[in-house]
Amino acid sequence: MSGSLLLVAGVDEAGRGPWAGPVTAGAVILDPARPIEGLTDSKKLTEKRREALAPIIRERAAAWCVAHASPEEIDRLNIREATFLAMVRAIEGLGLTPEEILIDGNALPKGLPCPATAIVKGDLTEPAISAASILAKTTRDALMREMDTAFPAYGFAGHKGYGTAAHAAALTLHGPCPHHRMSFAPVKRALQNA
């Protein structure tokens, strides 16, 4: 990469809302010499398209990292702070120090290594954020599929830990498993009723 190019890291998360599993953050520094077609908000892409783009991003990006904050950390810190923790871990794991960080959303974690900007809906407008959102989502989805193998009663492979009717029914029937976020109201209720 040429020295005159700014090293810009895009950062986004997946899994703020679910009742189970980690919150996952991706950080990506794209290489302008190796463009990637079709980057946009991971939620706007089909699962098949995200799964196709993820290895291309890993191969062509100048640097990338995906990091997590666990359900225990979410319960201890709260979801906002745990999301920030996952983001900082992803940025620190890049192996390159960016000169600028663009983060999807309206708030920034503390202790970043360079200037940063929060961009609402940044995953739609900034390719590096889009790439980060795709890596975060595909990595987290793969984790939830693994979790489904260990705890098949909850249907994690289908709903990825989000609060669906099927997930609520499984919680009522079986109570929470170790991957649930005990501080989240529906999980807390299931725990009290177990």
Side-chain angles (χ1 to χ4, degrees), residues 63-87:
W64 65 271
C65 180
V66 176
H68 312 278
S70 68
E72 294 80 10
E73 288 171 320
I74 293 167
D75 290 337
R76 194 175 75 244
L77 299 169
N78 75 43
I79 186 60
R80 177 188 160 99
E81 292 306 317
T83 300
F84 286 162
L85 178 63
M87 286 177 168

Side-chain angles (χ1 to χ4, degrees), residues 157-168:
H159 54 64
K160 311 295 190 287
Y162 282 87
T164 63
H167 192 180

Side-chain angles (χ1 to χ4, degrees), residues 63-166:
W64 65 271
C65 180
V66 176
H68 312 278
S70 68
E72 294 80 10
E73 288 171 320
I74 293 167
D75 290 337
R76 194 175 75 244
L77 299 169
N78 75 43
I79 186 60
R80 177 188 160 99
E81 292 306 317
T83 300
F84 286 162
L85 178 63
M87 286 177 168
V88 169
R89 284 174 175 162
I91 293 161
E92 287 172 349
L94 282 170
L96 285 176
T97 303
E99 292 156 272
E100 185 184 1
I101 298 170
L102 305 177
I103 294 183
D104 184 59
N106 60 4
L108 296 170
K110 293 182 182 70
L112 295 174
C114 65
T117 308
I119 303 172
V120 174
K121 296 202 187 323
D123 46 10
L124 285 170
T125 57
E126 294 291 338
I129 297 178
S130 304
S133 87
I134 291 164
L135 290 190
K137 177 90 177 106
T138 53
T139 303
R140 189 179 184 282
D141 284 358
L143 268 181
M144 296 310 289
R145 285 192 293 273
E146 280 172 34
M147 227 174 268
D148 187 70
T149 310
F151 294 91
Y154 298 95
F156 290 139
H159 54 64
K160 311 295 190 287
Y162 282 87
T164 63

